[in-house]
Amino acid sequence: MSDVLAVAEHRRGELRDVSFEVITASRELADATGGDVHLAVISGDVDGFADELNLDGVDLIHTVEHGDEFNHGVYTQTLTQLVDDCGPQYVVTPHTVNGLDYAPAVAQKIDYPLVTDAIGVDTNDGLTITRELYNGKTEATVAVSSDHALVTVRPGEWPPAEGDGSATIEAFDVTIDEAAVRSTVKGFEEVGAGDVDISEADVLVSVGRGIQEEENLDIIFDLAEALDATVSASRPIVDNGWLPQDRQVGQSGKKVTPDVYLAIGISGAVQHVAGMKGADTIVAINDDPSAPIYDIADYGIVDDLFDVVPALTEQFG
Amino acid sequence: MKLLVTVSETAEADDEFEIDGLSIDDRYLTFDLNEWDNYAIEEAVQVSESNDDVEVVTVTVGPERTEETIRQGLAKGADRAIRVWDDDLADVGLLDSGTKARLIAAVAQEEEPDLILSGVQSGDMAFAATGVALAADLGYEWAAVVNELDLDAENGVAHVHRELEGGVVELTDVELPAVLTIQTGINEPRYASLRGIRQAQTKPLDVTTPDELGVTLGESALSLTSLAEPETESDVEFFEGGADDTAGKLATLLRDKGVDA
């Protein structure tokens, strides 16, 4: 009843980093409840994954062999039965695209309140979750009045679990109703195998919503040419179809680690920052001094990009 | 064939705002059609344009204020709209996704759509859970974070691309009836035409209550207990002055870092 059940994530034969982070978050909760940390490893090379995840803080690993890749029907049925079997107080899953494909369904089936995209947890007076509201502009705490909860945790917010563990590894005996699995994964594709690889660039001139119109991209390309740099973009530019997907920096695009990252008219949403925070030097040009990009930038110019960008191009002309 | 689109109104905060208790003061909020739902509406309208006999119905859980947003969906091509609300809902500080899903599921049970399109998330609350929770309640199949849809209505299959992290898409076949949560960028949402805006005023917009839908609202399991601007750990160095000054200083910095054509 005081236990915490974490769920691992893998894709195409490899564990994803967030699998190690959900263990840490679950250990934090279990230390407060005084329970054990259970970990569910579903589909793929479960024995190999279980060995890799047998880390300090994990008490029991449940493995379920069923197919190679993630399928939300299999995950939902397995987790519903596993929760029924071990009755955890909290279930912790990754706030990822696949996490979002089963966590809400599981929460409905087991009737646990769902709080998603947690960046912090507190158990002093019942469970309280810290998460962002209003597009990252505010941070809120959400209290859960129920004894139970399913919490999805944002990747990168908890450190990865490490140190050898001594968990018991057990195959969980699940009954999958195959007729109820009504979606089939046919394969995967990499997007944007174009001629530009932004992840290899030393200098990126990156453009966001602040550019306003497609025609205005000219001043960005002019600057990039003057700097001998590569042009990349944040999500809205790609959503609008102004630049191809292989130019997108961020969680759903590419991770980049240039020497210099020039963020122009980019507000710095968390999904974007996840893709560029590894840059050596980050320079932001944005007329909103409260834009979150300035939390991560090393240098900034709070001014109209339409004035600054041409002036900068001229400096290198 | 019938498509149901979940439409929500979201609040966008100004760059500068003040927090009043547990919410941002209304003066600093702009209410508008949720960005993700805009793409879901467009996708549904495109399905109706390329197939015969498709009805597009939108459903919204929201107060009377949201009717302006609902009319946007009608102006873009939805055929009719349903709005669910009552005073008890107004008293719920934080409507959890499970409850929202139960309300929409009750509407879906009456409408019996073949396909439900829902935005991946709302821009303000961003729980990203309603669509999949709805599918679980209805016993529909589902797919989350869809950025390409090829509907084979005849065979009752949706061929979708799910946008995974790191520039990878998953190709999945989903049996209908299903709920798909729609990602931005899947299409190019249209602007409503003047004719569309005029027509929207006369399209049906039915209002119902949880009571009429047979949904009993319990105590919300979630409550907002604090709201604050995040503490920034910024150690950014700002270049001051006019554009020529700041550009000059930045140029010097960039040359120091080895940037030069």
Side-chain angles (χ1 to χ4, degrees):
Chain A
M1 170 59 217
S2 54
D3 295 347
V4 180
L5 173 65
V7 184
E9 179 163 320
H10 58 86
R11 188 201 296 168
R12 301 161 99 183
E14 283 184 31
L15 283 171
R16 306 199 69 237
D17 291 348
V18 70
S19 297
F20 300 86
E21 298 160 18
V22 289
I23 293 174
T24 308
S26 299
R27 188 69 254 168
E28 186 182 336
L29 284 167
D31 283 346
T33 61
D36 288 340
V37 170
H38 297 233
L39 178 68
V41 180
I42 307 166
S43 303
D45 173 19
V46 292
D47 295 328
F49 294 153
D51 278 343
E52 254 186 277
L53 294 168
N54 190 350
L55 298 166
D56 196 22
V58 184
D59 298 294
L60 190 60
I61 300 179
H62 306 274
T63 60
V64 175
E65 260 184 83
H66 195 287
D68 292 331
E69 293 295 340
F70 169 79
N71 175 288
H72 64 231
V74 173
Y75 268 60
T76 303
Q77 290 190 39
T78 300
L79 291 169
T80 306
Q81 290 174 44
L82 195 52
V83 166
D84 197 40
D85 189 68
C86 64
Q89 182 166 5
Y90 302 126
V91 180
V92 179
T93 72
H95 191 78
T96 54
V97 171
N98 281 347
L100 293 177
D101 201 35
Y102 67 84
V106 173
Q108 290 302 91
K109 299 224 180 262
I110 63 178
D111 199 20
Y112 280 27
L114 172 69
V115 187
T116 61
D117 206 13
I119 58 173
V121 295
D122 182 278
T123 48
N124 276 328
D125 184 22
L127 178 65
T128 303
I129 307 288
T130 305
R131 71 191 303 285
E132 292 179 344
L133 291 183
Y134 298 107
N135 204 6
K137 285 179 177 168
T138 63
E139 218 166 83
T141 51
V142 175
V144 181
S145 63
S146 161
D147 292 336
H148 300 91
L150 194 161
V151 180
T152 75
V153 299
R154 177 180 290 182
E157 292 294 323
W158 276 267
E162 50 189 22
D164 288 344
S166 52
T168 310
I169 301 176
E170 286 178 358
F172 177 66
D173 191 15
V174 66
T175 315
I176 300 292
D177 175 5
E178 299 289 347
V181 178
R182 291 185 289 115
S183 69
T184 316
V185 178
K186 310 297 273 188
F188 298 92
E189 272 178 14
E190 311 276 341
V191 294
D195 50 351
V196 178
D197 188 355
I198 56 170
S199 61
E200 292 294 318
D202 295 327
V203 183
L204 282 174
V205 174
S206 206
V207 58
R209 212 190 279 264
I211 199 71
Q212 295 172 7
E213 303 283 342
E214 186 172 10
E215 300 81 72
N216 298 338
L217 285 176
D218 287 352
I219 62 168
I220 302 298
F221 279 95
D222 289 348
L223 176 61
E225 197 184 332
L227 299 178
D228 196 18
T230 303
V231 173
S232 59
S234 66
R235 172 154 209 134
I237 302 300
V238 175
D239 276 354
N240 286 345
W242 297 348
L243 284 174
Q245 267 179 320
D246 58 1
R247 301 277 186 156
Q248 186 178 329
V249 174
Q251 214 165 60
S252 48
K254 288 200 173 132
K255 256 190 191 164
V256 296
T257 51
D259 298 332
V260 176
Y261 189 85
L262 206 51
I264 302 173
I266 290 176
S267 66
V270 58
Q271 294 84 354
H272 183 76
V273 170
M276 47 65 85
K277 62 186 173 195
D280 281 345
T281 302
I282 298 169
V283 182
I285 301 172
N286 191 312
D287 60 6
D288 172 16
S290 64
I293 192 72
Y294 288 125
D295 297 345
I296 191 175
D298 302 293
Y299 302 91
I301 297 175
V302 181
D303 201 350
D304 190 337
L305 71 89
F306 296 104
D307 293 332
V308 178
V309 170
L312 185 59
T313 305
E314 204 159 297
Q315 293 281 337
F316 287 86
Chain B
M1 175 169 211
K2 191 190 279 186
L3 269 67
L4 187 68
V5 185
T6 68
V7 170
S8 60
E9 182 178 79
T10 56
E12 168 84 18
D14 293 347
D15 288 340
E16 301 287 331
F17 59 87
E18 282 171 34
I19 290 171
D20 179 17
L22 291 175
S23 58
I24 293 178
D25 193 301
D26 265 359
R27 281 179 296 161
Y28 306 101
L29 294 178
T30 309
F31 294 96
D32 204 349
L33 172 62
N34 180 36
E35 189 183 348
W36 282 263
D37 297 342
N38 193 19
Y39 288 88
I41 291 167
E42 177 64 32
E43 200 63 22
V45 172
Q46 287 188 12
V47 168
S48 77
E49 286 169 346
S50 53
N51 292 275
D52 292 333
D53 295 326
V54 176
E55 185 183 26
V56 177
V57 183
T58 68
V59 55
T60 301
V61 178
E64 197 175 348
R65 183 194 66 219
T66 62
E67 291 196 357
E68 204 176 318
T69 292
I70 294 169
R71 297 273 178 211
Q72 283 188 47
L74 295 172
K76 286 167 191 269
D79 298 299
R80 60 188 171 87
I82 298 164
R83 180 172 73 83
V84 185
W85 197 248
D86 73 1
D87 290 346
D88 289 345
L89 277 169
D91 292 337
V92 177
L94 186 64
L95 188 61
D96 67 280
S97 43
T99 305
K100 201 169 167 186
R102 279 201 292 136
L103 290 166
I104 298 172
V107 171
Q109 269 153 3
E110 289 182 3
E111 294 289 336
E112 298 183 333
D114 303 282
L115 184 63
I116 303 178
L117 302 183
S118 175
V120 164
Q121 63 179 38
S122 63
D124 49 6
M125 297 296 136
F127 269 66
T130 306
V132 173
L134 172 64
D137 273 7
L138 286 171
Y140 277 31
E141 189 48 45
W142 72 87
V145 193
V146 169
N147 69 356
E148 198 176 313
L149 166 63
D150 173 16
L151 187 66
D152 179 355
E154 204 168 305
N155 293 304
V157 181
H159 306 284
V160 306
H161 287 189
R162 295 182 56 231
E163 181 192 272
L164 304 181
E165 295 85 356
V168 177
V169 293
E170 181 199 277
L171 282 56
T172 297
D173 285 353
V174 184
E175 286 178 31
L176 304 185
V179 180
L180 307 177
T181 79
I182 300 296
Q183 176 64 302
T184 58
I186 188 173
N187 52 40
E188 284 182 41
R190 70 194 66 193
Y191 291 96
S193 64
L194 279 173
R195 186 163 159 265
I197 292 167
R198 262 201 316 274
Q199 284 176 341
Q201 297 306 319
T202 56
K203 287 181 178 174
L205 195 170
D206 295 325
V207 181
T208 184
T209 64
D211 214 27
E212 281 172 12
L213 291 167
V215 177
T216 315
L217 299 168
E219 286 286 301
S220 176
L222 307 182
S223 56
L224 205 57
T225 49
S226 75
L227 188 72
E229 286 192 64
E231 285 172 33
T232 60
E233 297 148 13
S234 171
D235 48 11
V236 60
E237 182 186 332
F238 286 117
F239 296 123
E240 312 280 348
D244 287 331
D245 284 349
T246 55
K249 289 171 192 164
L250 179 52
T252 307
L253 171 85
L254 292 176
R255 288 200 170 94
D256 280 354
K257 301 284 177 190
V259 178
D260 205 343

